[in-house]
């Protein structure tokens, strides 16, 4: 049985940063993730996509952000159970929890923090004949390495941030990028919509709307797609392509966590914004997995939620200890990673 102070379900950016905040309070963490690697959506869906809204980083690749988070928590030596899905939870008489994975690994902790993001990753797929035949043979639902598309002819379908962001990014990588969307309006950020329009005007991107892909052709690998305009004329055109990337989003599936007796609203766990605790005392939900009025599914919001969660978890685990908030400069001097460092004089703020 693995024992820890805070058991974190989900090793995405939120779960990883929670380890740091818990470490500052001298709380040990163990993370469970169904994926074989840490990083959540950043590693699994868009490791090479730049992110522009992490404070202090004008631009950072999602994969690099994960590497940095792993570096930041290294000294706190978190435990990892990777490639296993948290399946069941049992509350013991003393208020602590046992969480068991689909492979039978048991974890025991006084506090459980669910940082499960979107849950298990299930891409929404277009309804097309012979789709399966071309999966991994020209069709992909996520872009893990954009270099795969260097000098290739790529068609992307979709109308959200993913489709827009990747169309913009691949315009500099692929030999030809075509974005096909069922509507004339996009759901993504206005900035990205404007950028796509700009690239179209510069002849660096083909934009076909309102339209849809209705057939896939090729022998062993994908050779062309048939695009039909959604209009009275229903014009059709065959486009020669190497790759087709439908980016219709991921269908949100909470998975087994949905059966744990937690209050759920629209596939997300309801929390109290005081400390991101759920309706079950001792179980918190942070990051994309939770919901509350005004919720934004952004990495920086997950970081904030993880920070407040840890403060509350500290009080729960050590009800008799007085909590003193310290800025991290103190950690540098005292060496929370075990090394002596020159650091500015610490500022200590007491919270009564
Ligand atoms: C294409 C794209 C671009 C984006 N761009 C930005 C951006 O520019 N800026 C920004 O702030 N945000 C962006 N986001 C959103 C951002 O990625 C999410 O807000 C962030 O990943 C949420 O982090 P998280 O740790 O809460 O969840 P996730 O990253 O989803 O990680 C959750 C982890 O929990 C695991 N898990 C779930 N259920 C279980 C279970 N039962 N057992 C074990 N493990 C489980 C999953 O496997 C996953 O690894 C983007 C998202 C996408 C898809």
């Amino acid at each position: 049985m693995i024992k820890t102070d805070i058991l974190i379900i989900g090793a995405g950016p939120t779960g990883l940063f929670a380890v740091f905040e818990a470490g500052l309070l001298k709380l040990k963490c163990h993370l469970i993730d169904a994926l074989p690697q840490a990083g959540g959506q950043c590693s699994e869906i868009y490791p090479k996509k730049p992110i522009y809204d992490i404070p202090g980083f004008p631009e950072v690749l999602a994969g690099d952000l994960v590497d940095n988070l792993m570096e930041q928590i290294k000294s706190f030596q978190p435990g990892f159970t990777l490639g296993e899905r948290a399946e069941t939870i049992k509350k013991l008489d003393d208020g602590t929890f046992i969480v068991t994975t689909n492979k039978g690994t048991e974890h025991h902790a006084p506090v459980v923090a669910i940082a499960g993001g979107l849950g298990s990753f299930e891409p929404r797929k277009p309804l097309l004949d012979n789709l399966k035949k071309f999966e991994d043979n020209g069709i992909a639902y996520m872009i893990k390495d954009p270099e795969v598309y260097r000098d290739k002819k790529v068609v992307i379908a979709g109308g959200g941030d993913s489709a827009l962001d990747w169309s913009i990014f691949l315009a500099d990588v692929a030999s030809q990028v075509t974005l096909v969307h069922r509507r004339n309006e996009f759901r993504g950020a206005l900035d990205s919509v404007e950028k796509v329009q700009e690239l179209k005007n510069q002849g660096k991107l083909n934009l076909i709307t309102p339209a849809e892909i209705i057939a896939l052709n090729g022998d062993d690998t994908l050779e062309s797609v048939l695009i039909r305009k959604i209009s009275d004329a229903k014009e059709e055109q065959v486009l020669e392509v190497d790759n087709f990337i439908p980016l219709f989003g991921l269908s949100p599936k909470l998975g087994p966590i949905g059966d744990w007796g937690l209050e759920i609203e629209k596939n997300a766990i309801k929390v109290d914004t005081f400390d991101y605790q759920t309706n079950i005392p001792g179980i918190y939900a942070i990051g994309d997995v939770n919901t509350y009025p005004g919720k934004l599914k952004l990495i920086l919001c997950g970081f904030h939620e993880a920070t407040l969660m840890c403060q509350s978890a500290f009080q729960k685990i050590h009800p008799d200890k007085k909590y003193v908030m310290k800025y991290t400069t103190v950690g540098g001097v005292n060496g929370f990673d075990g090394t002596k460092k020159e650091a500015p004089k610490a500022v200590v703020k007491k919270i009564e």
Side-chain angles (χ1 to χ4, degrees):
M1 172 105 59
I2 294 164
K3 284 181 189 277
T4 191
D5 292 324
I6 305 182
L7 179 67
I8 302 172
I9 299 169
T14 306
L16 293 178
F17 190 65
V19 175
F20 180 77
E21 287 297 326
L24 293 179
L25 300 170
K26 301 208 183 314
L27 299 175
K28 292 289 285 178
C29 293
H30 187 96
L31 301 103
I32 306 177
D33 205 298
L35 294 171
Q37 80 282 332
Q41 294 172 54
C42 291
S43 305
E44 185 64 14
I45 305 180
Y46 61 103
K48 298 286 168 74
K49 186 186 95 69
I51 305 178
Y52 301 104
D53 54 356
I54 303 297
F57 288 90
E59 179 180 335
V60 60
L61 293 183
D64 290 347
L65 176 68
V66 172
D67 289 347
N68 286 346
L69 285 165
M70 290 294 280
E71 179 63 30
Q72 197 171 16
I73 63 174
K74 204 163 77 185
S75 58
F76 297 123
Q77 299 174 329
F80 286 92
T81 301
L82 294 176
E84 298 187 29
R85 195 177 58 230
E87 203 78 15
T88 60
I89 193 163
K90 192 166 127 196
K91 194 167 190 171
L92 305 182
D93 291 343
D94 63 358
T96 61
F97 300 92
I98 291 185
V99 173
T100 307
T101 68
N102 57 333
K103 299 206 176 144
T105 314
E106 289 187 326
H107 307 76
H108 181 222
V111 164
V112 173
I114 302 171
L118 303 174
S120 47
F121 294 98
E122 275 302 314
R124 290 196 189 93
K125 299 182 181 181
L127 296 169
L128 289 170
D129 291 342
N130 60 12
L131 189 74
K132 233 180 159 43
K133 175 175 160 190
F134 297 118
E135 282 177 355
D136 297 327
N137 251 333
I139 293 185
Y141 305 105
M142 294 172 189
I143 298 178
K144 288 189 189 165
D145 180 5
E147 277 306 310
V148 168
Y149 305 102
R150 183 158 295 278
D151 302 325
K152 297 276 168 60
K153 290 182 191 152
V154 177
V155 60
I156 292 177
D161 277 318
S162 239
L164 290 165
D165 287 357
W166 279 119
S167 298
I168 295 166
F169 192 87
L170 290 183
D172 277 338
V173 176
S175 63
Q176 183 192 85
V177 175
T178 304
L179 175 60
V180 177
H181 180 40
R182 286 177 57 83
R183 299 177 206 283
N184 286 322
E185 305 77 34
F186 287 88
R187 292 187 314 277
L190 193 59
D191 244 23
S192 310
V193 178
E194 283 172 4
K195 181 80 186 158
V196 161
Q197 197 59 45
E198 211 177 286
L199 289 169
K200 182 196 168 194
N201 297 342
Q202 292 167 356
K204 292 185 179 166
L205 185 146
N206 303 324
L207 184 61
I208 308 182
T209 63
E212 59 189 340
I213 312 271
I214 57 162
L216 309 166
N217 309 307
D219 287 332
D220 294 330
T221 54
L222 185 68
E223 287 164 19
S224 67
V225 295
L226 183 61
I227 303 173
R228 179 188 286 165
K229 278 280 221 173
I230 303 175
S231 62
D232 293 342
K234 289 197 186 327
E235 292 160 45
E236 289 181 357
Q237 95 178 72
V238 175
L239 186 72
E240 274 184 32
V241 292
D242 300 301
N243 300 93
F244 171 38
I245 314 171
L247 295 174
F248 298 157
L250 301 160
S251 55
K253 283 207 183 81
L254 258 185
I257 292 168
D259 303 324
W260 288 5
L262 299 161
E263 256 186 85
I264 309 282
E265 189 178 277
K266 290 187 190 151
N267 267 307
I269 303 168
K270 279 175 89 172
V271 288
D272 181 345
T273 49
F274 175 74
D275 56 2
Y276 302 96
Q277 205 160 178
T278 67
N279 58 310
I280 302 180
I283 303 184
Y284 297 77
I286 51 176
D288 275 15
V289 81
N290 74 15
T291 185
Y292 52 84
K295 168 73 184 177
L296 286 178
K297 293 192 178 194
L298 287 174
I299 294 166
L300 89 164
C301 298
F303 289 169
H304 164 81
E305 294 163 13
T307 308
L308 295 198
M309 176 279 290
C310 287
Q311 307 295 326
S312 175
F314 178 86
Q315 299 293 355
K316 203 166 272 296
I317 295 167
H318 300 297
D320 47 334
K321 276 197 193 165
K322 198 165 178 186
Y323 160 68
V324 177
M325 193 195 100
K326 294 174 182 169
Y327 293 122
T328 49
T329 44
V330 178
V333 170
N334 292 343
F336 54 68
D337 60 355
T339 56
K340 282 263 177 217
K341 284 183 191 146
E342 282 301 314
K345 206 169 171 348
V347 188
V348 181
K349 197 173 159 191
K350 270 196 167 183
I351 310 284
E352 295 303 332

